Amino acid sequence: AALLVDMDGTTVVCQPYFDEANEEFGTFMSLMGVPKATAIEALHRVYYGSMPLRGFERERFPEALIECYEHLVKEHSLKVAAEDVDNIHSILKGIASAPFFRKPKLFANAVEELTRAHDRFLLVAVTVGDFEVQQYKIRQAGLDKLFDDRIITLQEAKDELVAEYMADYNI
């Protein structure tokens, strides 16, 4: 018997870190003269609009912040000194990279429940995101010894991979 467990939002906190990055981007853009809500809405369009093609590639979020920033600068006719552009891009990359490598916060009782389950089941982590980032998150959360296997994908369609895994292992 096996237990396949979703990671982000089920075992470890994830979305609030991206929400914070979105807020920081909005604040940054508001300091430049773009309304915060406008900046955040634009970022969502740019980032989530690329999901069908790019999935959850780690590089995509920083790229999306820079693309959105450049779009908003043009749209709002903002004046930015040429010598500041590289520094601004660096700031945006920092904002966008922060959610990926924060020490994961486990939900209450997650370790206890997974430890109990590990004694009775093949335990498989199922998660969407960059392979390296998700491995890091599992390791930093102290869960690497509990999971017997991992399913890591860039696309949201985890259900297909889970079905394939179950068929492959006759679960």
Side-chain angles (χ1 to χ4, degrees), residues 34-109:
V34 177
K36 185 175 185 175
T38 301
I40 293 171
E41 288 170 16
L43 177 58
H44 286 188
R45 280 193 308 276
V46 170
Y47 182 56
Y48 292 109
S50 68
M51 285 293 160
L53 299 172
R54 304 276 307 264
F56 285 89
E57 294 175 358
R58 181 173 77 198
E59 298 83 18
R60 182 60 192 134
F61 194 52
E63 290 171 1
L65 265 71
I66 291 169
E67 283 176 35
C68 189
Y69 158 79
E70 290 173 354
H71 166 76
L72 292 170
V73 165
K74 287 179 187 169
E75 184 178 278
H76 293 268
S77 302
L78 302 177
K79 303 290 184 224
V80 179
E83 64 269 13
D84 291 336
V85 172
D86 286 343
N87 288 335
I88 290 170
H89 285 187
S90 181
I91 290 167
L92 295 174
K93 286 177 186 174
I95 291 170
S97 296
F100 292 103
F101 290 104
R102 290 178 66 170
K103 181 160 176 62
K105 179 181 176 191
L106 289 154
F107 284 106
N109 303 319

Side-chain angles (χ1 to χ4, degrees):
L3 181 61
L4 289 86
V5 181
D6 181 57
M7 286 296 300
D8 294 328
T10 303
T11 308
V12 296
V13 172
C14 176
Q15 190 58 46
Y17 301 150
F18 285 92
D19 294 343
E20 287 174 21
N22 289 333
E23 286 290 319
E24 288 177 15
F25 175 75
T27 299
F28 179 81
M29 292 308 299
S30 73
L31 294 172
M32 296 189 72
V34 177
K36 185 175 185 175
T38 301
I40 293 171
E41 288 170 16
L43 177 58
H44 286 188
R45 280 193 308 276
V46 170
Y47 182 56
Y48 292 109
S50 68
M51 285 293 160
L53 299 172
R54 304 276 307 264
F56 285 89
E57 294 175 358
R58 181 173 77 198
E59 298 83 18
R60 182 60 192 134
F61 194 52
E63 290 171 1
L65 265 71
I66 291 169
E67 283 176 35
C68 189
Y69 158 79
E70 290 173 354
H71 166 76
L72 292 170
V73 165
K74 287 179 187 169
E75 184 178 278
H76 293 268
S77 302
L78 302 177
K79 303 290 184 224
V80 179
E83 64 269 13
D84 291 336
V85 172
D86 286 343
N87 288 335
I88 290 170
H89 285 187
S90 181
I91 290 167
L92 295 174
K93 286 177 186 174
I95 291 170
S97 296
F100 292 103
F101 290 104
R102 290 178 66 170
K103 181 160 176 62
K105 179 181 176 191
L106 289 154
F107 284 106
N109 303 319
V111 172
E112 294 84 0
E113 295 300 326
L114 291 172
T115 300
R116 223 181 332 236
H118 187 257
D119 293 337
R120 299 182 9 210
F121 300 99
L122 172 73
L123 204 55
V124 181
V126 181
T127 187
V128 175
D130 178 90
F131 186 83
E132 181 182 305
V133 171
Q134 296 307 100
Q135 286 284 72
Y136 172 86
K137 192 181 300 182
I138 291 167
R139 206 171 32 257
Q140 288 299 309
L143 302 175
D144 52 331
K145 291 186 171 94
L146 289 175
F147 286 111
D148 301 301
D149 207 352
R150 290 139 181 80
I151 298 172
I152 300 174
T153 179
L154 289 173
Q155 304 299 323
E156 272 291 344
K158 294 182 286 192
D159 53 341
E160 294 171 16
L161 293 174
V162 167
E164 287 175 21
Y165 187 92
M166 292 173 70
D168 289 347
Y169 289 91
N170 197 28
I171 296 170

